Amino acid sequence: MAQSEHLMAPVGTVVSRMRALDAALPERDGVAVFNRVYLAVTEEVERRLDAGRFGDPRAAATLDVRFAERYLAAVDAADGDGRPPACWRPLFQFRRHPGVRPLQFALAGINAHIGHDLALAVVDTCRALRCEPADLEDEFDRVGELLVSLEERIREELMPGPDLLQIADPLTHLLGSWSLERARDATWSAARALWTLRRFGDLAEEFTERLDAAVGLAGRMLLTPLSG
């Protein structure tokens, strides 16, 4: 098996799981809305890996898979007897609420995944590859740039037209209260802090719990029902 094919195999596995979720969930379900967004991101990472567009494809593939696995584990926990991380609970709680708009579901999922899961995935990847966060910074930035470009597309596709979205619309204020770029920058700082704290079990656990809770609070705000 060629190296690119070897790297693509685990990425293909998480893509397959997300495609299965897409087929199984109702289109309007909040998790389904986010899953479609994230599936598009992961498929694009897979294409770029295949095209050799990552400087360190092994690091990029490992980060991508560890990142995706955290989202999929949260889905499994919500669908089973487990308890998903606090950052994901608002999305699972409000996934069928008629007053929450699709754009809110998408951004709440991105908030949970970027704000919490990505920092932990960086640490997971460093442990797996026996490297430092600084060794992953280029791949982290490449994935982050892809996410930012996708967020712009999401806003264009899911945001009401200018004739519907007025300055007084509460969605206008929600959209202005959260930024993926700011979240990505905070995540990189959190990942470095977690890596530094890894030798101090209690402190690392407390930091992770506080991060999870803070991201969950932001997610709850993003999912404020606007009607219904």
Side-chain angles (χ1 to χ4, degrees):
M1 180 182 291
Q3 183 182 20
S4 62
E5 293 175 336
H6 177 71
L7 293 169
M8 295 277 284
V11 177
T13 299
V14 294
V15 165
S16 295
R17 282 212 58 197
M18 281 185 258
R19 286 175 179 162
L21 280 173
D22 185 51
L25 293 173
E27 183 178 358
R28 186 61 176 75
D29 181 283
V31 176
V33 173
F34 169 72
N35 188 77
R36 286 194 295 273
V37 169
Y38 191 33
L39 175 57
V41 172
T42 311
E43 288 174 333
E44 181 61 24
V45 170
E46 189 176 34
R47 283 191 290 270
R48 293 187 183 195
L49 279 168
D50 191 40
R53 295 178 61 185
F54 286 99
D56 186 343
R58 180 167 175 254
T62 303
L63 178 59
D64 184 67
V65 171
R66 297 300 175 107
F67 189 30
E69 286 174 341
R70 287 193 169 272
Y71 156 63
L72 294 169
V75 172
D76 288 343
D79 289 345
D81 297 327
R83 184 170 172 81
C87 60
W88 284 106
R89 287 175 212 154
L91 181 59
F92 294 123
Q93 180 183 357
F94 287 88
R95 64 193 292 178
R96 297 180 182 91
H97 196 296
V100 179
R101 303 185 195 178
L103 180 56
Q104 293 176 261
F105 288 132
L107 293 183
I110 292 171
N111 169 70
H113 205 35
I114 300 296
H116 173 265
D117 293 355
L118 184 54
L120 274 62
V122 169
V123 174
D124 292 342
T125 301
C126 286
R127 291 184 186 278
L129 300 182
R130 298 184 180 181
C131 66
E132 298 287 323
D135 300 320
L136 301 177
E137 188 166 9
D138 287 346
E139 311 316 321
F140 178 94
D141 287 342
R142 286 187 178 91
V143 172
E145 288 164 6
L146 175 60
L147 288 164
V148 169
S149 67
L150 187 71
E151 186 207 17
E152 294 170 356
R153 195 176 83 192
I154 292 163
R155 288 179 185 251
E156 290 174 1
E157 291 179 358
L158 297 181
M159 186 183 294
D163 57 326
L164 299 176
L165 189 62
Q166 304 298 327
I167 190 66
D169 190 318
L171 184 57
T172 305
H173 300 284
L174 280 179
L175 294 178
S177 68
W178 187 83
S179 162
L180 191 149
E181 290 196 57
R182 289 197 299 268
R184 186 184 65 173
D185 290 344
T187 290
W188 183 244
S189 297
R192 293 172 61 200
L194 277 169
W195 184 249
T196 301
L197 291 172
R198 70 192 186 281
R199 298 185 182 90
F200 306 96
D202 290 345
L203 281 175
E205 184 176 353
E206 180 180 349
F207 185 94
T208 302
E209 289 176 356
R210 289 180 182 272
L211 176 66
D212 189 20
V215 174
L217 182 62
R220 176 62 185 85
M221 176 196 68
L222 286 168
L223 290 169
T224 300
L226 303 180
S227 62

